[in-house]
Amino acid sequence: MIWADLTPGVQDALTLAALLCPIAVLGAVLLQGYAPWPLVAAMLRRFRWTALIFVAVVAGSVAIGVGLIAQERGLRIGTARAADGFDIVVTAPGSEVTMMLASVYLQATDAPLLDGETYAEIAGAEHVALAAPLAFGDSVGRAPVVGTTADLVTHLAKGPLEGRMFTARHEAVVGAMVPLRLGESFEPAHGVGDGADDHAHDVDFVVVGRMPVTGTPWDHAVVIPIEAVWGVHGLADGHDAGHDHEDHEAGDHDHGDDHAAAEHLGPPFDPAYFPGTPAIVVKADSLAASYALRSRFTRDRETMAFFPGTVLSQLYAIMGDLRAAMSVMALVSQALVAASVLVGLFILTRLFARHLAVLRALGAPGRYLMAVVWLFSSVLLGAGALVGLGGGILATWGLSRILSARTGIAVPATFGWAELHLVAGFVLVAMVLALLPAIAALRLPVLARLRA
Amino acid sequence: MRRMDKRALKLRDLVVLTEECAPLAEVPALDVAAGEALGISGPSGAGKSSLLFALAGLAPRMRGSVLWGDTDLSALGTPARAAFRARHIGLIFQDHLLFEELGALANATVVAGFRSRSERRALQDEAARRLSSLSLPDDARDVSRFSGGERQRVAVARALAHRPSILLADEPTASLDSANAEHLTQLLLAEAHQAGRTLIVVSHDPQLLARMDRVITMSHGVLVNDFKGGSQ
Ligand SMILES: Nc1ncnc2c1ncn2[C@@H]1O[C@H](COP(=O)(O)OP(=O)(O)OP(=O)(O)O)[C@@H](O)[C@H]1O
Ligand SMILES: [Mg+2]
């Protein structure tokens, strides 16, 4: 059996055991046959405030380490999950990252448009299960307004809507977190954020449906038919107004003020009346087809097709390098923490130098003095590590909620082996370092302390 | 419980030195029989405590030999000296040196932590017996709340709990009133004469010194008088 053959879980468990084992061996060797606990407990009680401060410092540094690791992983998982529904995105050539941020994470940007022929070609291509154009740029309060097709909403929602899908141009489906009730109406503002122009569009929309929680920024978005976005901007609506549209006769007629042409929503679009879209979300019917479609629509001057998942991995790779750089800094700061822990232990040891001298005078062997000092230090370090682990988990949980609220990406608060390894590694190093003051305790001048 | 052996003291050409090799006490020759009670008197700064610590193997430097029975402490290294103290010597310090955060029994058995399990039991029993015979309350109070006399008695119980063959005491009656001092003097003498422990007491207390089998006087680090008295 070799290491690589083991499951990751077993490898992680073995790594943890390998980190904890030396601590157990160290403790066993030092404490073998001795009973220093009552004395150590009494000293902990006597120096409880100093001990508490020491524990708090250790816990703080451990919690920060645990929190950083867990948070980084949570962000990675959260952003990846948010991109799940987006197999391929086709845009005009430009920055994949910018366009991914715009389409998946709804970070509005000015982008060149793809025209109706391009859309028609993509939508009509073999193995394309879904081709949804996107239109952004408007907002309701802090929620971005996205124009697209009902198919994409169904695809992203991954479950039944509360209420129903939009079937008319003035209807909207909102993300799970949008503070608009079903039946409530709103007027979108042109633009996003502080610069938004509240009364640019004199059009009212009514909320008819709500998506289930998706864990993506779309939870904070208001989705309306793309025809409506084009319409409020005074553009063609993608359909030839002269044609009749029997296929949509089943549409909702409650709102009699709508003229019939408005009821024709979604594909197919007429290229001649297609005002353009900055991004098309494409879903292929198979993985192989995804790759084929991506290369087919990657054309130098016309279109750019990419997998958001791949772009994310590239970003993570860069972040991985950053992480490596940061881990050097983390290591330096951990070393500083270890150094201060060591200094703290030396100072703590001074607190009971006289105890140790008396024990020596009463015949205590050197190993017993070491055991007392080491056990005292280890209790503090162990308590600090445990409190820090708990604090780190709590902090992760709290930070995840804040980040989720801020970014709209559901950042999961996960707890993994890496945190346990970090804590175990810290405890191992600290407890080995705790031997130094223990050894120093042996060298204390006994008689001088007795006379002092 | 292990039987207590008896140990006579034989000092030869002993010079106790400071770390910087300045002489603190010099004793060319001194013999103390097993079970004998020896007093050491002398003015302050004469080197009495220094000599007593040397007899316990606690002097950082010394020349000559300190023979307890057939064991020469001056020839042993630090760990072996500690082991010898743990087994054979009971020490009573000038200012008690108790563990303030522990109660009376925990103080009296503070050496239990490095003893074997069977020894621990015997030590507990003996310490508890000592404490009650010294009429000390066996409560959970920290000794920091104890009076000077109570603290001194805890220190005595600690020195005797492991049934040492040698008992070394530095000014044991210094913090006691005369009744308590008298009581402690009797107890120490009984340890020498009845249990056969070799007792060496450093003291200024004339009452105590008068009860010793023998008193030596030190001045400026040297032995100036060796007076054989009688305590019976
Ligand atoms: N480590 C040392 N370095 C230098 N001088 C020391 C050292 N230890 C003790 N002395 C000095 O040696 C002398 C003897 O000290 P010691 O404590 O043995 O006296 P003593 O007879 O016990 O006095 P007292 O009756 O006051 O307790 C003192 O002057 C003391 O200051
Ligand atoms: Mg003295």
Side-chain angles (χ1 to χ4, degrees):
Chain A
M1 191 77 136
I2 50 169
W3 185 248
D5 290 340
L6 300 171
T7 65
V10 173
Q11 289 182 355
D12 286 330
L14 285 177
T15 307
L16 183 65
L19 288 167
L20 293 179
C21 195
I23 301 174
V25 170
L26 190 58
V29 167
L30 274 178
L31 304 181
Q32 166 66 34
Y34 294 153
W37 183 244
L39 180 60
V40 170
M43 296 202 303
L44 284 168
R45 236 179 298 125
R46 167 128 179 232
F47 300 114
R48 56 185 165 276
W49 297 114
T50 319
L52 268 179
I53 291 169
F54 187 85
V55 167
V57 169
V58 172
S61 91
V62 169
I64 289 171
V66 167
L68 279 180
I69 292 182
Q71 207 61 56
E72 190 267 342
R73 186 185 46 234
L75 267 175
R76 211 155 15 96
I77 295 174
T79 47
R81 267 191 206 153
D84 263 359
F86 299 81
D87 290 7
I88 309 172
V89 174
V90 183
T91 65
S95 157
E96 290 181 348
V97 174
T98 306
M99 291 318 293
M100 179 187 71
L101 288 176
S103 53
V104 178
Y105 302 104
L106 299 179
Q107 303 295 308
T109 181
D110 284 325
L113 304 178
L114 296 174
D115 62 17
E117 271 85 41
T118 309
Y119 174 78
E121 189 190 348
I122 293 170
E126 230 185 321
H127 301 299
V128 170
L130 167 77
L134 297 181
F136 9 76
D138 292 345
S139 60
V140 183
R142 291 179 52 214
V145 171
V146 189
T148 186
T149 63
D151 291 344
L152 184 66
V153 174
T154 308
H155 170 62
L156 290 179
K158 290 193 187 104
L161 303 184
E162 180 191 341
R164 59 173 175 79
M165 180 60 64
F166 50 68
T167 50
R169 284 175 59 162
H170 66 278
E171 292 179 345
V173 169
V174 295
M177 310 293 183
V178 173
L180 288 173
R181 288 184 309 277
L182 289 192
E184 197 170 335
S185 55
F186 61 90
E187 183 185 332
H190 185 66
V192 177
D194 295 335
D197 182 353
D198 284 341
H199 298 289
H201 311 309
D202 205 10
V203 190
D204 273 346
F205 286 83
V206 59
V207 178
V208 298
R210 181 184 295 280
M211 289 197 271
V213 177
T214 62
T216 74
W218 287 64
D219 285 344
H220 293 265
V222 172
V223 188
I224 58 176
I226 192 165
E227 289 87 347
V229 177
W230 288 329
V232 297
H233 289 93
L235 303 167
D237 70 356
H239 305 285
D240 179 0
H243 275 84
D244 213 10
H245 22 71
E246 299 79 11
D247 49 341
H248 273 269
E249 286 306 318
D252 180 13
H253 285 278
D254 290 348
H255 306 277
D257 54 291
D258 269 282
H259 54 89
E263 306 305 322
H264 190 167
L265 298 181
F269 295 102
D270 185 336
Y273 296 91
F274 191 92
T277 177
I280 301 168
V281 177
V282 177
K283 186 176 153 39
D285 57 12
S286 72
L287 187 64
S290 294
Y291 282 92
L293 287 171
R294 181 178 66 160
S295 38
R296 178 166 164 200
F297 293 109
T298 301
R299 296 179 196 151
D300 279 352
R301 244 174 296 263
E302 299 160 43
T303 56
M304 168 177 88
F306 59 92
F307 299 151
T310 308
V311 177
L312 270 181
S313 333
Q314 290 165 352
L315 279 180
Y316 294 151
I318 297 169
M319 291 201 310
D321 291 346
L322 273 179
R323 244 193 307 161
M326 274 170 62
S327 71
V328 172
M329 278 155 58
L331 218 65
V332 171
S333 74
Q334 287 294 314
L336 285 176
V337 169
S340 22
V341 163
L342 193 59
V343 171
L345 289 180
F346 269 104
I347 293 170
L348 282 176
T349 312
R350 294 282 167 222
L351 284 181
F352 41 85
R354 195 153 197 220
H355 291 70
L356 298 176
V358 173
L359 282 173
R360 195 60 154 158
L362 296 178
R367 182 165 68 89
Y368 183 72
L369 301 186
M370 287 180 67
V372 168
V373 174
W374 186 81
L375 187 59
F376 184 89
S377 311
S378 297
V379 168
L380 299 187
L381 291 169
L386 282 181
V387 172
L389 189 59
I393 292 171
L394 270 182
T396 304
W397 184 77
L399 271 176
S400 291
R401 305 197 70 172
I402 294 172
L403 277 177
S404 300
R406 288 265 172 93
T407 60
I409 299 166
V411 179
T414 57
F415 177 62
W417 286 102
E419 289 91 306
L420 285 177
H421 291 162
L422 174 86
V423 174
F426 173 82
V427 171
L428 174 59
V429 170
M431 287 195 178
V432 169
L433 285 179
L435 280 176
L436 293 177
I439 291 167
L442 292 183
R443 309 177 58 88
L444 288 173
V446 175
L447 202 51
R449 294 283 163 188
L450 292 180
R451 283 176 176 278
Chain B
M1 182 97 201
R2 146 187 80 89
R3 274 181 58 85
M4 198 194 82
D5 53 359
K6 305 197 171 179
R7 298 219 172 220
L9 171 65
K10 195 193 271 197
L11 299 185
R12 290 294 177 268
D13 304 317
L14 177 68
V15 184
V16 184
L17 305 159
T18 66
E19 306 262 23
E20 296 79 28
C21 294
L24 289 172
E26 285 179 46
V27 181
L30 178 69
D31 291 86
V32 183
E36 190 177 358
L38 176 79
I40 303 178
S41 75
S44 188
K48 307 183 294 293
S49 295
S50 302
L51 177 61
L52 199 73
F53 282 130
L55 299 185
L58 283 166
R61 286 172 185 277
M62 57 185 178
R63 285 202 298 267
S65 54
V66 178
L67 275 158
W68 285 110
D70 49 9
T71 307
D72 185 357
L73 277 190
S74 65
L76 299 180
T78 310
R81 288 184 193 181
F84 184 86
R85 277 196 299 280
R87 189 141 308 283
H88 302 290
I89 297 182
L91 263 174
I92 301 170
F93 301 98
Q94 198 161 352
D95 39 9
H96 320 319
L97 295 179
L98 299 178
F99 288 67
E100 302 298 326
E101 59 279 358
L102 296 176
L105 184 63
N107 257 290
T109 58
V110 76
V111 294
F114 55 87
R115 308 257 174 187
S116 74
R117 202 174 290 274
S118 59
E119 284 176 314
R120 257 175 245 159
R121 269 241 64 82
L123 195 81
Q124 295 278 347
D125 295 345
E126 179 69 6
R129 196 179 69 74
R130 287 286 177 185
L131 286 174
S132 68
S133 81
L134 287 163
S135 53
L136 270 169
D138 181 18
D139 59 14
R141 253 189 321 159
D142 291 353
V143 294
S144 55
R145 314 260 164 86
F146 280 25
S147 72
E150 287 171 327
R151 294 164 66 84
Q152 183 62 288
R153 279 177 277 164
V154 173
V156 170
R158 179 176 71 183
L160 289 168
H162 60 295
R163 302 179 169 228
S165 48
I166 302 155
L167 193 52
L168 305 178
D170 200 350
E171 311 276 10
T173 58
S175 59
L176 303 182
D177 59 45
S178 60
N180 270 315
E182 171 59 21
H183 189 245
L184 181 62
T185 306
Q186 275 172 20
L187 182 134
L188 291 178
L189 280 174
E191 289 306 321
H193 296 151
Q194 278 147 44
R197 305 183 207 281
T198 306
L199 173 68
I200 300 180
V201 184
V202 168
S203 185
H204 289 111
D205 180 357
Q207 309 271 8
L208 182 142
L209 290 171
R211 306 282 297 273
M212 296 289 120
D213 295 336
R214 202 172 126 203
V215 176
I216 60 173
T217 306
M218 292 186 71
S219 179
H220 300 292
V222 291
L223 232 165
V224 292
N225 190 15
D226 193 338
F227 170 75
K228 225 170 188 71
S231 61
Q232 282 76 23

